[in-house]
Structure formats: structure tokens, C-alpha cells
Amino acid sequence: MAGKKIGFLEAFSIGVGGMVGGGIFAVLGLTIDLAKGAAPLAFLLAGIIALVTAYSYVKLSLRYPSEGGSIEFIIQAFGNGRFASVINNLLLISYVIMLALYAYAFGSYGSALFLGSDVLWLHHTLSVGVITLFMFINLLGALFTGRAEDVMVFAKLAILILFAGVGSMSIEFSHMKPDMWMPMESVVTGGLIIFLAFEGFELIANTARDIENPKKNLPRAYYASVLFVIVLYVWIAMVTVGNLSFEEAKVAQDYVLAKAAEPFFGEVGFVVIGVAALLSTASAINATLYGSGRTSYLIAKHGELPATFEKQIKHGYEGMVIIALLSILFTTLFDINNISVAGSIGFLIVFTLVNYANVKLYQETGANRLISGFGTLLGGVATIVLVWHTLTHQPQALITSAIVLFMVVLFTFLYYHLKERRLASFVDKALEADERIATNQKIQQKEQ
């Protein structure tokens, strides 16, 4: 393959950059509200699900190195029929929800920085503006997108590590005593709602064909990036809970990290963390628009979405513009609690199925079915717990999730029948060529 290969460090950075985006800023306050002093434990629980799922991604990425990533794995395990079509479109709408969450967080922190509180008109203006800005940057091409991303990823990690390091010196550990915990059901739900903050490691799968020495570097990149982010998130949650009362965290729920910096950094801390939040959410919007635009292009090109998704504009695709417009609708019309639940349910379903795909394909991938089966069980139970808790305590959020899922299924089935199109057997044509060569070699060996 032409071009420079990606090493461990680059692949690790892709995973960390994908995870440490807007999620930690968008829904940390919501998790603290649900789990109280057990918020660090909630992040750890979500991280364990991500780490077990990373095992399946390692095995599937090595066997099916494809720029289609999760989509490719679903097709190889379940075929290219209606079920795979529904799941692939569910993944796409989950990206839209992520974009909406990131834009919402950008608007919250931006409004708090400029006006001192979350003012609705400025919040919406900033949310719409940041999506529109990065839509145009992505249309200029990968060079502009990549340069913007490199700067923002480095800046956000540096500020977050500084925040966690300095904030550790003033932690009130009494805030995290077991008698300050909410019931375990609420703690688990708090972890599941912020599962979105861990999903970005899957982006490594889309680069599997470009990674140097994949048998060595792919597993290291997956596991190291997930473990690094688990430590970072638990650390940040401890600092936040340890420096704020639960009442203060509740009032500043949408910009809680900036508020948590005030006790040890003063007003400057509020500004610095606010800037970090803007960089992080902007970085996440930039990367997600690029990735989802490419994903929608691949799905459209190989039979799933309307052809308009693969039409090129400048150096991007119409699909990316459509996704950007949908995310603007979500971030301005839906409540953040509702859409965060819908997004987490979407990704939990996809990750559960990727784990099960590794169970089904264990002879091809050389996987341990017990580990992948455990991942399937974890993902399935987590989805049920999240749905049950939401139904009991926040039914309006479940209605939003049900509407999103219904629209995805309805669109897929109508388009599937009306256009008589279906997904290709392989999303990545280079992988298809490799598989054809391997099959021919096996036939020749048998004949000999």
C-alpha cells in the first residue's frame, strides 16, 4: 500500500483523541447527579465494558482490516441483509447524536465563559456555529482537518492532565465515602449514560490496513488507549467530586469541570477549563464529522444509503453535510439528557453485536469465545439496565430513544424495498480483493 504506515503512537493517539472528546464535558455533571460520590466508580464500570469490547475489536481488526471498521465486522458476521442495514444506520444516527452532544457542550461552556451562565440564545448560536464551521473545514479536505485536530488534541490533553494533577491536592475524599453513594442501580446507570465518552477507540479499526506491524501494534494501541482513558476519566471524576459539593455540581451540571477548577485555580481556572472544553468539543466535532462523513459515503457507495451521500463537494461528501444538518436539529430541539440516553443505547447495541460477531467468527479470528461472550453479556445487560432505569425514572428520554430507533428501522426497510438495494458483501474493496486471493490460494492448495 502506498503512503506512510501508522505506528503504535499514531494509532494510540487516534484512540485517545476519539475518546477524550466532548463526552467527558457533556455528561460528567449528569453522571455526578446520578451517582453522587460514586461517580469515579461509574466511569470505571463503563471503562470495563469498553476494555472487554476492545478485545473483540483487536481480533476482528486483525482478521478483517477494513476502513469500514464496525460496519465491516457486522456484515461479515451477520451477512449483508436487512439486519446489518438497520445496525449500520443505527451506528450512523448514533454519530449524529454524538455530534449533537458535543455541540451542546460547546454551547454550554461557551455561554458560561462569555456571559457567566448558560444563556439559551447564545448556547444555541454557538452550538450551530461550531458544527457549521467544522463542516466547512472538512469540506476543504483531510489536510486541514488533520492539522486542526493535532493542535486541539494536544491542547485538551495537556489542560485536562494539568487540571487533574493540581486538583488532586485539594480533594475532599469524604465526598466519595460509600455513604455518599447513590443506590448501585443509579451508579451503574450513571456509568452507562457516559459510555459515549469511551466509544471513540473504535476509530482505530478504520485505520487497521494502514498500521505498521499490526499483530504487535493494533492490540497495544487498543488496550493502551482504553486503559489510559479509564485512568484519566476516573482521575477527573475524583477531582471534580472532591472539589465541589453535590449541590454546586447540580447547579453547574452543563459546565461542571470549569466550576470544579475554581477552588484551586480561582476564576482563571474556570476560564482555562472552559477553553479546554471548547477545544475538546470542537476537536470531537471535527473528527466525528470526518469519520461519519466517510462512513456514510462507504455505506452509500456499497448499497445502503441514498446516492446523495456519496456525491462529492469540494474535498468532502454531501453525506457529511446531511449529517451536520441532522446534528444541528438534534442539538437545538432535543434535551441533552434524552439524546445522551439515545446515543448510549445506540452504541451499546452496536458494541454488543461486535462482541457477538467475534463469538460467531471465532474460528476466523482465533478469539477466545468466553471473553467475547462475556463482552456480549456485559453489553446486553448494560443495555437492559439503562433502558429499565430510564423507563422508571426518565420515561421521556426513552420515548426519544424509541423514536430514533423506529425512524432508523422504518427508513432502512422502506429504502431497502423501494430501491431494492443492499449492502455489498465487503465494505472495503481492498479487503474483498485480499479475501478473493486467499480463497483462490486455498483452492489451489487443495487441488495440489
Side-chain angles (χ1 to χ4, degrees):
M1 178 176 177
K4 186 179 178 182
K5 288 282 188 177
I6 295 172
F8 161 74
L9 190 58
E10 291 87 352
F12 171 81
S13 298
I14 287 169
V16 172
M19 284 182 280
V20 186
I24 185 68
F25 294 95
V27 288
L28 173 59
L30 179 59
T31 297
I32 293 173
D33 188 42
L34 284 167
K36 295 296 190 289
L41 177 60
F43 275 91
L44 180 61
L45 292 173
I48 289 171
I49 297 175
L51 190 60
V52 175
T53 302
Y55 173 81
S56 292
Y57 271 90
V58 167
K59 293 297 185 180
L60 289 163
S61 296
L62 287 171
R63 175 60 184 85
Y64 301 104
S66 166
E67 63 179 344
S70 302
I71 298 171
E72 191 76 72
F73 306 152
I74 295 295
I75 291 172
Q76 296 311 314
F78 302 101
N80 59 343
R82 298 176 194 177
F83 179 75
S85 300
V86 169
I87 298 305
N88 290 327
N89 283 331
L90 178 63
L91 178 63
L92 204 58
I93 203 67
S94 297
Y95 280 129
V96 170
I97 291 171
M98 278 177 59
L99 280 167
L101 275 171
Y102 298 157
Y104 184 96
F106 185 94
S108 294
Y109 278 87
S111 179
L113 272 176
F114 293 127
L115 298 181
S117 62
D118 193 2
V119 179
L120 188 62
W121 70 265
L122 181 57
H123 182 157
H124 281 171
T125 300
L126 291 171
S127 296
V128 172
V130 72
I131 294 174
T132 305
L133 172 64
F134 283 102
M135 180 186 74
F136 282 112
I137 287 177
N138 273 270
L139 291 177
L140 292 175
L143 178 63
F144 290 92
T145 305
R147 285 180 176 174
E149 191 67 16
D150 288 345
V151 172
M152 290 186 290
V153 166
F154 175 80
K156 70 183 179 184
L157 285 177
I159 294 173
L160 284 173
I161 291 172
L162 177 66
F163 163 83
V166 177
S168 296
M169 294 184 285
S170 57
I171 290 177
E172 288 285 345
F173 286 99
S174 61
H175 293 187
M176 289 171 273
K177 293 190 300 184
D179 58 352
M180 293 292 183
W181 294 10
M182 291 293 281
M184 192 51 62
E185 179 195 358
S186 190
V187 174
V188 171
T189 305
L192 298 179
I193 283 177
I194 49 86
F195 186 73
L196 280 171
F198 284 99
E199 69 77 32
F201 72 85
E202 61 142 358
L203 295 175
I204 297 173
N206 301 85
T207 66
R209 295 190 70 83
D210 299 329
I211 292 180
E212 185 179 17
N213 192 2
K215 289 186 178 180
K216 176 182 178 183
N217 287 327
L218 261 178
R220 289 172 63 205
Y222 273 115
Y223 297 135
S225 61
V226 174
L227 286 169
F228 174 83
V229 171
I230 289 173
V231 171
L232 181 63
Y233 281 171
V234 171
W235 192 10
I236 288 172
M238 289 177 66
V239 170
T240 304
V241 172
N243 281 279
L244 290 178
S245 68
F246 300 131
E247 292 74 21
E248 288 174 319
K250 176 72 173 177
V251 171
Q253 183 171 302
D254 290 341
Y255 49 93
V256 69
L257 266 182
K259 189 69 177 177
E262 284 187 331
F264 49 90
F265 277 143
E267 289 185 10
V268 174
F270 186 96
V271 174
V272 170
I273 296 301
V275 170
L278 296 183
L279 286 170
S280 287
T281 49
S283 162
I285 289 167
N286 183 43
T288 306
L289 266 177
Y290 180 77
S292 59
R294 181 65 183 165
T295 299
S296 66
Y297 163 75
L298 285 168
I299 298 176
K301 186 174 179 64
H302 301 303
E304 175 64 21
L305 292 172
T308 184
F309 276 80
E310 59 180 298
K311 289 181 181 176
Q312 199 156 4
I313 304 176
K314 294 286 187 181
H315 298 284
Y317 301 98
E318 276 191 23
M320 185 184 62
V321 177
I322 294 170
I323 287 168
L325 293 175
L326 284 172
S327 64
I328 286 173
L329 289 176
F330 270 78
T331 198
T332 53
L333 297 179
F334 288 90
D335 179 84
I336 186 175
N337 295 353
N338 296 351
I339 59 175
S340 63
V341 170
S344 286
I345 288 173
F347 277 111
L348 280 169
I349 290 172
V350 171
F351 281 12
T352 299
L353 290 173
V354 168
N355 277 307
Y356 185 58
N358 200 32
V359 174
K360 288 191 69 175
L361 298 169
Y362 80 98
Q363 290 182 319
E364 292 287 329
T365 64
N368 183 319
R369 284 182 292 175
L370 289 177
I371 298 175
S372 297
F374 181 57
T376 306
L377 180 64
L378 272 180
V381 170
T383 305
I384 293 169
V385 169
L386 181 55
V387 169
W388 176 254
H389 186 275
T390 307
L391 179 64
T392 307
H393 297 89
Q394 199 180 355
Q396 69 276 12
L398 199 60
I399 292 171
T400 301
S401 303
I403 291 172
V404 169
L405 184 59
F406 175 76
M407 294 304 294
V408 167
V409 173
L410 181 64
F411 167 80
T412 305
F413 274 79
L414 285 177
Y415 189 73
Y416 192 96
H417 284 293
L418 292 176
K419 294 293 184 180
E420 297 182 348
R421 298 181 74 183
R422 61 189 296 141
L423 284 167
S425 299
F426 290 87
V427 174
D428 191 322
K429 293 301 156 184
L431 175 62
E432 183 176 22
D434 290 345
E435 293 295 310
R436 189 181 298 115
I437 291 170
T439 300
N440 289 336
Q441 288 175 344
K442 287 179 182 178
I443 292 172
Q444 290 173 359
Q445 289 172 356
K446 285 182 180 179
E447 289 177 347
Q448 291 173 358

